[in-house]
Amino acid sequence: KMKAYIASSWFNPTANQEVNDIIDSLTKNGFDIFSPRDYFVCPPTADLETQKSTYEGNLQHLHKCDFMICNTHAKDMGSIFEAGYFKALDKPIVYFCAGLPDGASFNLMLSQSGIKVCTSVENLNDYLSRCQDEGRLLFEPYHGQIE
């Protein structure tokens, strides 16, 4: 079973629900999951040892996972860092940007580094279902407007 790393903010109700939606979609389509939200808690006042342990734990899981779903909600800097690190590992990234309207721009560097850009839960479900049917991740480059 392929294992997905979920790079996402979860620090507000919308982002937290999007993580739930991504997890549901991955689970429904038979993928294993690692979501830092469910493993690491590093409060803003954490001491340096806790910060370092959280950082290193996330990096270990980036190495262990086969692909990433990166939620670009609110352009969370930690998620974007994780995506860059994952790309440097030469592993596939699926970007999730719920609500990106038709004709809206998506970042050039992200679009070029990913294998797919999904703009809704339905779009993500469809993509993951087709990947499961094919037994591999599908490369479907982004063809929309870039920023």
Side-chain angles (χ1 to χ4, degrees):
K1 252 185 179 181
M2 292 185 76
K3 188 171 190 174
Y5 184 103
I6 301 173
S8 181
S9 167
W10 63 83
F11 308 112
N12 66 59
T14 299
N16 196 52
Q17 182 57 53
E18 288 175 349
V19 172
N20 291 338
D21 292 342
I22 292 167
I23 288 171
D24 290 346
S25 187
L26 286 161
T27 302
K28 179 169 75 174
N29 287 289
F31 292 94
D32 285 338
I33 299 153
F34 176 79
S35 176
R37 175 188 76 175
D38 300 329
Y39 291 89
F40 299 110
V41 176
C42 188
T45 57
D47 59 41
L48 288 177
E49 186 176 321
T50 302
Q51 292 175 37
K52 182 174 176 146
S53 172
T54 301
Y55 171 79
E56 290 175 352
N58 278 318
L59 294 185
Q60 287 173 5
H61 285 279
L62 287 166
H63 283 269
K64 291 178 183 177
C65 289
D66 302 300
F67 73 106
M68 172 184 283
I69 306 279
C70 180
N71 184 2
T72 61
H73 177 96
K75 300 180 181 179
D76 177 66
M77 288 188 287
S79 300
I80 302 307
F81 168 84
E82 289 167 331
Y85 189 96
F86 209 70
K87 182 63 180 174
L89 295 175
D90 201 26
K91 294 184 176 191
I93 303 168
V94 174
Y95 288 101
F96 179 77
C97 53
L100 186 71
D102 288 339
S105 300
F106 192 72
N107 179 271
L108 167 68
M109 299 304 281
L110 299 185
S111 70
Q112 289 297 304
S113 66
I115 61 169
K116 175 72 175 170
V117 176
C118 296
T119 57
S120 69
V121 174
E122 296 76 20
N123 186 224
L124 180 63
N125 274 322
D126 174 69
Y127 174 73
L128 293 173
S129 174
R130 290 184 292 111
C131 290
Q132 201 59 278
D133 290 347
E134 292 285 327
R136 64 184 175 87
L137 295 174
L138 302 171
F139 176 64
E140 298 178 354
Y142 178 74
H143 292 291
Q145 188 171 334
I146 56 164
E147 61 179 21

